[in-house]
Amino acid sequence: MKKLKGLKCVSCGHVHAIEMIYECEHCRGSLDIIYDYESIFTENVSDHISEGGIWRHRSLLPIAANTEAVSLGEGNTPLLRSTALEVEFDQAEILIKNEAVNPTLSFKDRPLAVALTVAKQFGVEGVVTASTGNTGVAAAAYAARAGLPCRIYVPKGTPKEKLIMMEMYGAKIELIEGTFSDAYLVSGQEAKKNGWFNLTSTFLNPYAIEGDKTLAYEIYEQYGGVPDWIIIPIGAGPLLVSCYKGFRELQLAGKVAKLPRMVGVQAANCAPTVQAFEKKLKEVEPWGYSNQTVASGIADPLTTYPQDGTRTLTTIYQSEGCGIAVSDESIMHYQKWLAQKEGIFAEPSSATAIAAIEVMKEKGFLQNGDSIVTVVTGHGLKDLKSIR
Amino acid sequence: MKKLKGLKCVSCGHVHAIEMIYECEHCRGSLDIIYDYESIFTENVSDHISEGGIWRHRSLLPIAANTEAVSLGEGNTPLLRSTALEVEFDQAEILIKNEAVNPTLSFKDRPLAVALTVAKQFGVEGVVTASTGNTGVAAAAYAARAGLPCRIYVPKGTPKEKLIMMEMYGAKIELIEGTFSDAYLVSGQEAKKNGWFNLTSTFLNPYAIEGDKTLAYEIYEQYGGVPDWIIIPIGAGPLLVSCYKGFRELQLAGKVAKLPRMVGVQAANCAPTVQAFEKKLKEVEPWGYSNQTVASGIADPLTTYPQDGTRTLTTIYQSEGCGIAVSDESIMHYQKWLAQKEGIFAEPSSATAIAAIEVMKEKGFLQNGDSIVTVVTGHGLKDLKSIR
């Protein structure tokens, strides 16, 4: 594809050719796709308008114009004004981007639809992923749609509902003792052994995370501009980083003048990136404590890849955003509050993005007139253990 | 509202004024909203294009132009081509309309968003509904969004996941001994006593079911015309009847020439309407046998309101469609098949719409060149009992 210039290492800057690789060959840093934006922005974008959801933005994805999308109708999720939140926190404008309204009920459908389409482009024979749940569910569904076998490595304690979904879609599941970081290692070995495409989220798969950029394009279109703040729950944080990349692309295209301030939210019980932000560090360190939290979807201690947290932290600093940690008690409170006040049933990991507003207010980050978009990343029905 | 001409009884034809009533004052028949189509079709419809989902079609809903919608971003669900189904059944064109990709994971978000918006128009103090699950979940969520209290009457045996959702949204749930028909009676009494709006699906609430018409408008737009067949799982059958009404409106507007043939699907273990179709009867009789089936969402014996089944049967005849009964075994088979072949996890009641294609083929209803849209009405994650 002419529009893709290469895979650039975010650590050392080395540019690699477009291939099925996951890290810099020199320094093992994570990779970022670089585009020939000039050629893209002169293309007639309306060519893709008839494709729905994320595929309207195909020109800014690592997909050729004529490649058939592996799609289940992902994206184009609701952006809802929340009067209840505005009153609760005395803010002028709070909107909820509800990513639970996706085919497998989380934002992961964006990167996985892109990843499986790329998998078909590369002609692989199967796909592998590590997951805390949502990535695995999406990987299993999109692999089924693509007609490819799928193996998923999940930590023990992954919510039962997510396991049932993966199984229904026909994926092979391996339960791993330990945390997500342990599952991450095993899945990497398996992918290497079989030559299968590794879909693991974090920043491992540089193609998948490009799908996350479509969140930015949709917020821009639906909001009609750029909100002051965008709040996103983060494990490693690819959604936050890619969403910001999406807005930077809109800036390059001359569509927006300012950029949003990015807020990364973690559960206080597993908050490696937020801890680094609070200590004003430049680099994230692995989380050395227990990572027990109701927010299982973002309970990533970053044990063997703290540099992924650093990539997210760097974006937070660049955007003049902040890192926010929230307690399990507050997560459970706002999960229920949001369902009862607005009819939106978020999973605990997503309720962090509501709980964060309270902390931002307390810490003085917010002006009353600020506009806020907070992202509900997944549906509460996928994780009922926390409610019982 | 000038565009609404009245509520017409489908049995005796008497026209009532637009009020909060649920049946004909003369013969207790169900009611159908009649519109002044001439004034609607001369309106500038593009005024509503900026509203998303079902609200783009506001001009054909019983909602004033300036009424604020009680919306969670419902509608605009994916219409997906299914090569796997086309191969399986040797058909030229099969598409799946996936209504599980709605805020509360079923098509019920369409009628309930409309119903709660109408509830606000009427200025009621609360809402009531009987439900086998999906209506209750949607009613609870939209009532929360509208800021109205909600009481839900469900038969014992309603899937646990659906009860958890209703509870999360803050609704008050009453478990009723017996079938949906029993819950129907109690909810009616409660609504009358309190003056609360009765959202019960079946054809009771003439406003709610207008929301179902938006399914037709979307199929027309996404498919780019009218498919030969539309397959819909039915309890009483409001979705089937309203979808057909939607296509008739498109015909009146001069947008389409032909109309689709409507297929109503029931589980063989509870199939009052299909039985009447197979016996070539003009009227449906209540189901006199046990109604035990995995398809709990459509297990309605129509005990005290067989005329609702007759309304659906009449539409099936008018459209030159058919009624199809499918076995529990086939439902479970195609539920798994659909998840593994296409990455779509339908609830058992929805998998009937896949299983029906096999029976239509066997019975000689289908030509190989026919185009088919089959409707997946709700998400499998809302009903896990059947899988365990």
Side-chain angles (χ1 to χ4, degrees):
Chain A
M1 260 168 289
K2 266 162 112 184
K3 70 181 175 187
L4 303 185
K5 290 169 80 170
L7 296 164
K8 185 174 178 178
C9 173
V10 297
S11 298
C12 76
H14 183 82
V15 178
H16 308 69
I18 293 294
E19 280 172 36
M20 210 171 86
I21 54 173
Y22 307 103
E23 58 182 25
C24 176
E25 62 188 14
H26 296 292
C27 74
R28 307 197 59 188
S30 69
L31 302 171
D32 184 30
I33 296 183
I34 46 175
Y35 293 84
D36 176 4
Y37 287 116
E38 215 163 311
S39 77
I40 292 171
F41 295 147
T42 53
E43 190 199 350
N44 187 355
V45 177
S46 65
D47 287 356
H48 307 302
I49 295 291
S50 66
E51 288 196 274
I54 69 169
W55 305 100
R56 293 180 51 217
H57 311 286
R58 176 190 280 262
S59 57
L60 286 163
L61 296 173
I63 310 285
N66 56 354
T67 299
E68 197 183 346
V70 177
S71 173
L72 290 167
E74 52 290 333
N76 199 20
T77 56
L79 181 72
L80 301 169
R81 183 87 183 257
S82 174
T83 314
L85 277 172
E86 289 165 2
V87 170
E88 176 84 356
F89 295 119
D90 188 24
Q91 286 293 132
E93 200 168 28
I94 304 183
L95 299 99
I96 297 168
K97 179 71 172 163
N98 188 5
E99 288 290 289
V101 191
N102 261 310
T104 81
L105 318 186
S106 86
F107 80 95
K108 292 291 185 187
D109 290 352
R110 297 178 189 272
L112 271 300
V114 170
L116 266 299
T117 304
V118 172
K120 299 280 272 187
Q121 269 182 186
F122 280 133
V124 299
E125 287 174 10
V127 295
V128 167
T129 190
S131 175
T132 58
N134 282 334
T135 297
V137 170
Y142 286 86
R145 178 83 170 153
L148 289 173
C150 176
R151 277 193 209 149
I152 305 171
Y153 299 84
V154 295
K156 279 196 177 165
T158 299
K160 190 180 62 176
E161 293 78 16
K162 294 180 181 177
L163 296 176
I164 291 172
M165 289 178 83
M166 294 176 209
E167 215 158 22
M168 271 303 284
Y169 295 127
K172 201 177 150 217
I173 305 167
E174 302 268 2
L175 289 175
I176 302 291
E177 294 284 349
T179 69
F180 172 75
S181 298
D182 299 297
Y184 178 97
L185 285 180
V186 184
S187 65
Q189 290 154 4
E190 275 300 307
K192 204 166 180 181
K193 203 171 72 186
N194 300 317
W196 286 15
F197 201 34
N198 191 340
L199 312 177
T200 300
S201 95
T202 71
F203 294 98
L204 192 74
N205 188 311
Y207 301 95
I209 61 176
E210 291 294 299
D212 290 327
K213 293 188 310 187
T214 57
L215 183 73
Y217 312 147
E218 289 182 17
I219 290 174
Y220 159 71
E221 287 182 349
Q222 294 172 316
Y223 181 68
V226 182
D228 295 314
W229 300 90
I230 296 180
I231 306 177
I232 296 179
I234 55 170
L239 183 63
L240 185 147
V241 169
S242 295
C243 180
Y244 193 66
K245 183 178 179 182
F247 276 104
R248 277 188 6 234
E249 289 174 338
L250 292 170
Q251 191 182 40
L252 278 172
K255 290 188 179 176
V256 308
K258 72 164 188 176
L259 292 171
R261 301 173 74 173
M262 305 302 294
V263 183
V265 193
Q266 296 186 311
N269 290 351
C270 186
T273 306
V274 174
Q275 192 183 54
F277 174 82
E278 287 174 347
K279 289 184 180 171
K280 296 180 180 157
L281 302 178
K282 281 196 173 166
E283 291 188 356
V284 174
E285 284 169 20
W287 188 249
Y289 322 100
S290 156
N291 71 335
Q292 287 305 307
T293 163
V294 289
S296 61
I298 52 173
D300 184 348
L302 305 175
T303 308
T304 54
Y305 44 92
Q307 70 276 14
D308 278 15
T310 299
R311 187 165 165 185
T312 302
L313 181 67
T314 305
T315 300
I316 290 173
Y317 286 139
Q318 276 176 356
S319 74
E320 298 176 32
C322 59
I324 297 288
V326 293
S327 71
D328 272 27
E329 197 187 349
S330 177
I331 294 170
M332 296 308 292
H333 169 75
Y334 279 109
Q335 183 190 32
K336 198 169 177 183
W337 186 95
L338 187 65
Q340 302 198 346
K341 294 286 182 181
E342 288 293 20
I344 296 173
F345 182 15
E347 66 176 5
S349 301
S350 305
T352 62
I354 308 296
I357 305 172
E358 186 176 49
V359 180
M360 288 174 73
K361 196 88 189 170
E362 282 166 12
K363 294 202 167 182
F365 283 111
L366 293 177
Q367 307 295 315
N368 295 61
D370 286 356
S371 56
I372 302 167
V373 169
T374 189
V375 182
V376 166
T377 46
H379 203 290
L381 192 60
K382 286 169 99 177
D383 184 0
L384 294 181
K385 191 175 51 184
S386 53
I387 294 166
R388 290 186 200 111
Chain B
M1 262 167 288
K2 266 162 114 182
K3 69 181 176 186
L4 304 184
K5 288 168 82 170
L7 296 164
K8 186 176 178 178
C9 173
V10 297
S11 299
C12 76
H14 184 82
V15 177
H16 307 70
I18 293 293
E19 280 172 35
M20 209 171 88
I21 54 172
Y22 308 103
E23 59 183 23
C24 175
E25 62 189 15
H26 296 293
C27 75
R28 307 198 58 188
S30 69
L31 303 171
D32 184 29
I33 296 183
I34 46 175
Y35 293 84
D36 176 4
Y37 288 117
E38 215 163 308
S39 78
I40 292 171
F41 295 147
T42 53
E43 190 200 350
N44 188 355
V45 177
S46 64
D47 285 356
H48 306 302
I49 295 290
S50 65
E51 287 195 274
I54 69 170
W55 305 100
R56 293 180 52 217
H57 311 285
R58 176 192 280 261
S59 57
L60 286 163
L61 295 174
I63 309 286
N66 55 355
T67 299
E68 196 184 347
V70 176
S71 173
L72 289 167
E74 52 290 334
N76 199 20
T77 57
L79 181 73
L80 301 170
R81 184 87 183 258
S82 173
T83 315
L85 277 172
E86 289 166 2
V87 171
E88 175 84 354
F89 296 118
D90 187 24
Q91 284 295 134
E93 200 168 29
I94 306 183
L95 299 100
I96 297 168
K97 179 72 172 164
N98 189 5
E99 288 289 289
V101 191
N102 261 311
T104 80
L105 317 186
S106 87
F107 80 95
K108 291 292 186 186
D109 290 351
R110 297 178 190 272
L112 271 299
V114 170
L116 266 299
T117 305
V118 171
K120 297 280 272 188
Q121 269 182 187
F122 279 134
V124 299
E125 286 175 10
V127 295
V128 167
T129 191
S131 173
T132 58
N134 283 334
T135 297
V137 170
Y142 286 85
R145 178 83 169 152
L148 289 173
C150 176
R151 278 194 208 148
I152 306 172
Y153 299 84
V154 295
K156 279 195 177 165
T158 298
K160 191 180 60 178
E161 292 78 14
K162 294 180 182 177
L163 296 177
I164 291 171
M165 290 177 83
M166 295 176 210
E167 216 157 20
M168 271 303 282
Y169 295 126
K172 201 178 149 217
I173 304 168
E174 302 269 0
L175 289 174
I176 302 291
E177 295 284 350
T179 68
F180 172 74
S181 299
D182 299 297
Y184 178 97
L185 285 180
V186 184
S187 64
Q189 289 155 2
E190 275 300 306
K192 204 166 178 180
K193 204 173 71 187
N194 300 316
W196 286 15
F197 202 32
N198 190 341
L199 312 176
T200 301
S201 93
T202 71
F203 293 98
L204 192 74
N205 187 313
Y207 302 95
I209 61 178
E210 292 292 300
D212 290 328
K213 294 189 308 189
T214 58
L215 184 73
Y217 313 148
E218 289 182 18
I219 289 174
Y220 159 72
E221 287 182 348
Q222 293 172 315
Y223 181 68
V226 182
D228 294 314
W229 300 90
I230 296 179
I231 306 177
I232 296 180
I234 56 170
L239 183 63
L240 185 147
V241 170
S242 295
C243 179
Y244 193 66
K245 183 178 180 182
F247 276 104
R248 279 190 3 236
E249 289 173 338
L250 292 169
Q251 191 182 39
L252 278 173
K255 291 189 179 174
V256 308
K258 72 165 189 176
L259 293 171
R261 300 173 75 174
M262 305 302 293
V263 182
V265 193
Q266 296 186 312
N269 290 352
C270 186
T273 306
V274 174
Q275 191 182 55
F277 175 82
E278 286 174 347
K279 290 184 178 171
K280 297 180 181 156
L281 302 178
K282 282 196 172 166
E283 290 189 357
V284 174
E285 283 168 22
W287 189 248
Y289 322 100
S290 156
N291 71 334
Q292 287 305 307
T293 164
V294 289
S296 62
I298 53 173
D300 184 348
L302 305 174
T303 308
T304 53
Y305 45 92
Q307 70 277 13
D308 278 15
T310 299
R311 185 165 167 185
T312 301
L313 181 66
T314 305
T315 299
I316 289 173
Y317 286 139
Q318 277 177 355
S319 75
E320 297 174 35
C322 60
I324 297 288
V326 294
S327 71
D328 272 28
E329 197 186 348
S330 176
I331 295 169
M332 295 309 292
H333 168 76
Y334 280 109
Q335 184 191 30
K336 197 169 178 182
W337 186 95
L338 188 65
Q340 301 197 349
K341 294 285 180 180
E342 289 293 20
I344 296 173
F345 183 15
E347 66 176 3
S349 301
S350 305
T352 63
I354 309 297
I357 305 174
E358 187 176 48
V359 180
M360 288 174 74
K361 196 89 188 170
E362 282 166 12
K363 295 204 167 181
F365 283 111
L366 293 178
Q367 307 294 316
N368 295 64
D370 287 356
S371 55
I372 302 166
V373 169
T374 190
V375 182
V376 166
T377 45
H379 203 289
L381 191 60
K382 285 169 100 177
D383 183 1
L384 294 181
K385 190 176 50 184
S386 52
I387 296 165
R388 291 187 200 109

